[in-house]
Amino acid sequence: MAKLVTIFGGSGFLGRYIARRMANQGWRVRVAVRRPNEAIFVRTYGTVGQVVPVLANIRDDASVAAAIGGADAVINCVGTFDMSGRNNFDAVQVEGAGRVARLTAEAGIDRLVHISAIGADAESDSAYARSKAEGEAAILDHMPGAVILRPSVMFGTEDAFFNRFARMTKFGPVLPLVGGQTRFQPVYVDDVAHAAQMGVTGKAAPGIYELGGPDVGTLRSFIELMLRLIRRRRLVMNMPFWMGSVMAWGLNAAQVMTGGLFHNSILTRDQVRQLRQDNVVSEDAKGFDDLGLQPTDMEAVLDDYLWVYRPGGQYADIQASARNMRNTQV
């Protein structure tokens, strides 16, 4: 019988790419999520019954153990940007990660891949970065042979990076940026999925890998690239960090005052702290070269999904051609 991999968070942005890759490799895939009814789409990634969503809450021992049962390998893709509530940084990225590793070890499974993030640092001012580092420590405490991947900001069709800023261009002529001079190294989501696949199949040695794409630049430079691709003109305004902190405080206050009816997914004070630090691969870190992989160039992918934000959408080229014809006739 084909081997079985359990992917926690397998219906998320990165998880679905990993699930598709593992199914294509002939593995049976168990996608462990809190709401299986919202992850039905993963069934289409393989043959009938090959990819199955199951109920699991990373905060609960019993459901995690049940999702792991009988698996040959485990991948943890679960992460959060929520500082408060039941699914906060500590509950998900520290205790949840440690729970997955502990129960994986107790089940006698020797393959575990954990998704962390570049910038994970136990001494960081950012609670998010600290929780990522503490989560890694919890993983290695129980599974010292685990493969830990630290991707930079990921891009791809469903990303929350370029899509987010592209949507913002529809609301006005000004595009405000906090941390416009902070450097990033965007990485294609399927390249990270490929690295995870190698960890599951034993083609990647245990250890921590920092994954960044071939392009390194400032946040502002990538937003300007996005604007060129969607053919929109906007004034990109760099906001100082203190102003970003004030804005984030106001957004957090709005969330509290509305009892959570307004959820601040725009900018938090902790994200402002993160933006003070470059999000690029460290010089001495293992990365794609050590995996024998060539990361995908950003411009080879962005145009395939950002065209929907052009003024004419899929008809933008036809409209431009028509304008050129009129100008030539005149």
Side-chain angles (χ1 to χ4, degrees):
M1 183 175 290
K3 289 187 175 182
L4 170 65
V5 59
T6 295
I7 307 176
F8 289 94
S11 65
F13 177 40
L14 172 61
R16 65 185 66 184
Y17 282 81
I18 299 175
R20 187 182 294 114
R21 276 188 167 272
M22 297 310 300
N24 288 339
Q25 290 291 309
W27 284 60
R28 291 178 295 134
V29 181
R30 184 182 289 160
V31 175
V33 293
R34 286 187 298 159
R35 302 181 183 90
N37 59 306
E38 296 179 7
I40 298 299
F41 63 89
V42 300
R43 290 181 178 274
T44 63
Y45 295 167
T47 58
V48 176
Q50 186 182 4
V51 183
V52 179
V54 298
L55 174 66
N57 188 330
I58 201 171
R59 295 184 291 109
D60 176 69
D61 272 33
S63 66
V64 171
I68 287 173
D72 298 282
V74 175
I75 304 174
N76 180 33
C77 299
V78 180
T80 183
F81 289 107
D82 291 334
M83 291 187 64
S84 58
R86 290 181 299 177
N87 295 306
N88 57 42
F89 292 156
D90 286 338
V92 173
Q93 296 178 166
V94 182
E95 296 170 11
R99 179 174 291 106
V100 170
R102 171 172 56 83
L103 294 174
T104 298
E106 290 177 2
I109 303 168
D110 59 2
R111 298 267 173 89
L112 173 63
V113 176
H114 175 68
I115 309 301
S116 183
I118 282 182
D121 181 0
E123 305 299 323
S124 175
D125 292 334
S126 163
Y128 176 86
R130 289 198 304 272
S131 69
K132 282 294 188 182
E134 292 168 8
E136 291 180 1
I139 290 286
L140 295 174
D141 188 42
H142 297 287
M143 295 283 294
V147 172
I148 296 176
L149 304 180
R150 292 177 175 176
S152 182
V153 60
M154 291 182 285
F155 65 90
T157 304
E158 310 88 353
D159 72 46
F161 185 65
F162 286 108
N163 279 302
R164 178 183 180 185
F165 285 106
R167 282 193 295 269
M168 290 171 62
T169 64
K170 297 182 178 182
F171 301 113
V174 178
L175 199 58
L177 286 184
V178 178
Q181 297 307 310
T182 301
R183 294 191 307 149
F184 285 82
Q185 195 171 351
V187 58
Y188 182 40
V189 60
D190 195 46
D191 291 339
V192 180
H194 194 172
Q197 173 192 325
M198 293 181 67
V200 169
T201 57
K203 295 180 181 178
I208 298 175
Y209 297 83
E210 295 194 355
L211 306 179
D215 302 301
V216 179
T218 63
L219 174 60
R220 183 189 181 101
S221 70
F222 290 128
I223 298 308
E224 290 173 341
L225 168 63
M226 178 269 295
L227 288 171
R228 289 196 299 272
L229 291 174
I230 67 174
R231 304 175 191 178
R232 291 182 183 269
R233 293 183 179 181
R234 294 292 182 270
L235 175 62
V236 181
M237 183 179 69
N238 285 333
M239 297 174 60
F241 287 112
W242 68 266
M243 188 179 294
S245 295
V246 171
M247 179 186 294
W249 182 89
L251 292 168
N252 287 343
Q255 177 173 311
V256 173
M257 288 188 293
T258 60
L261 292 176
F262 165 75
H263 179 71
N264 180 18
S265 59
I266 301 172
L267 183 68
T268 67
R269 296 176 71 183
D270 195 71
Q271 287 171 334
V272 174
R273 297 187 190 101
Q274 292 177 54
L275 285 167
R276 292 179 179 272
Q277 303 296 322
D278 289 338
N279 195 267
V280 297
V281 174
S282 306
E283 292 184 2
D284 57 347
K286 293 195 294 185
F288 280 121
D289 287 343
D290 300 274
L291 296 172
L293 299 179
Q294 179 66 40
T296 304
D297 183 78
M298 197 164 47
E299 292 193 50
V301 177
L302 292 183
D303 211 34
D304 287 344
Y305 66 95
L306 290 182
W307 59 265
V308 298
Y309 300 103
R310 293 174 184 166
Q314 69 265 43
Y315 302 111
D317 289 332
I318 296 175
Q319 292 175 345
S321 177
R323 284 193 297 268
N324 291 334
M325 288 179 63
R326 285 197 298 267
N327 293 336
T328 301
Q329 291 172 355
V330 172

